Amino acid sequence: TEFGSTPLWHLDELANVGISMVLYPLSAFRAQSKAAETVFKGILADGTNKEVEKTMHHRMQTYEVIDYMAYEKAMDAAAAKN
């Protein structure tokens, strides 16, 4: 993992030695944790989240990342069957 004592391998290097799947279980969590720290520090400093809004996704960006509209369509289709 990041910050470990072994070198980080590139995906191509791993593929060259026969590895077909690589997991990064904590990379996103660590990035989210740092982002949350930035937001909370901004709120504490400014008394509002206004200045840190530029670091956030707006609602539709979040929906695009998680493909929420596909989920919503599936839920609507399931509800229509009942």
Side-chain angles (χ1 to χ4, degrees), residues 4-40:
S5 59
T6 58
L8 297 177
W9 288 39
H10 189 277
L11 292 173
D12 293 338
E13 294 173 302
L14 294 168
N16 287 337
V17 295
I19 295 173
S20 61
M21 180 185 289
V22 182
L23 303 176
Y24 294 89
L26 293 176
S27 298
F29 172 77
R30 288 180 173 143
Q32 291 169 329
S33 178
K34 183 169 179 66
E37 178 185 22
T38 298
V39 168
F40 294 136

Side-chain angles (χ1 to χ4, degrees), residues 44-78:
L44 284 172
D46 301 330
T48 179
N49 63 348
K50 182 171 179 49
E51 289 302 312
V52 292
E53 279 184 354
K54 60 184 169 266
T55 68
M56 301 176 195
H57 277 165
H58 58 69
R59 183 179 305 205
M60 289 310 296
Q61 287 172 311
T62 299
Y63 284 3
E64 289 169 10
V65 168
I66 65 172
D67 199 14
Y68 179 78
M69 299 313 287
Y71 166 78
E72 191 170 272
K73 286 179 187 176
M75 292 300 292
D76 289 345

